[in-house]
Amino acid sequence: HWMPPPRSLVSLVSLGLRIRYPGSPEASSQIGEIVIKNQHIGDFYRNSLAGIGDIMFQEVDQNVIHNNWLFTIKTAHQKKLLEHLNSNGIQSRPFWMPMVQLPMYQNDLYISKKDNSNTIHNQCIAIPCSTGITEKDLESVVYQIKKFFNSCI
């Protein structure tokens, strides 16, 4: 199995880990298991949701090993799909709010010909991808997304 080298505590924190001794063999093993689980989750969603509605996935270069830490899908029906998922017990949320929209930056100058960050925020949804998610949970998420696109659009 592939295990990423623990380069720094920052890389561990970005994976959402609380590891007592970041450079230890146990930490490397734990990180490897988490990355493998996250890759499985990403593959499951990509395979199960390909061709459903207008869903698009983040493009990942073939030379990159993506950790799928926060799995997102893109759809023009973001708000309605979020309502559907959350009302069916599947905690989902929009992708992170762009920094320029945060209150502390509201008076700062923002110049952009094409506001990509706002487009992403308004069209992308983070769906459940915790390393503790079960196969049954993954299937429920996919079922509800397919149900939404089959009956609501």
Side-chain angles (χ1 to χ4, degrees), residues 10-72:
V10 174
S11 67
L12 299 176
V13 171
S14 71
L15 289 172
L17 304 178
R18 294 176 190 253
I19 296 177
R20 183 175 224 160
Y21 304 106
S24 70
E26 294 82 12
S28 293
S29 175
Q30 184 180 8
I31 293 168
E33 291 170 16
I34 289 169
V35 170
I36 290 167
K37 173 73 177 194
N38 285 352
Q39 288 172 336
H40 166 73
I41 292 167
D43 291 344
F44 182 87
Y45 280 143
R46 282 186 187 88
N47 292 332
S48 301
L49 297 172
I52 303 299
D54 67 340
I55 290 176
M56 294 177 64
F57 305 102
Q58 178 182 359
E59 291 181 29
V60 179
D61 186 277
Q62 63 182 340
N63 297 320
V64 173
I65 298 173
H66 195 295
N67 68 13
N68 293 306
W69 175 71
L70 181 66
F71 195 87
T72 58

Side-chain angles (χ1 to χ4, degrees), residues 37 40-41 44 132-142:
K37 173 73 177 194
H40 166 73
I41 292 167
F44 182 87
I133 196 168
T134 66
E135 292 297 314
K136 183 178 177 185
D137 293 336
L138 288 170
E139 291 169 7
S140 295
V141 173
V142 167

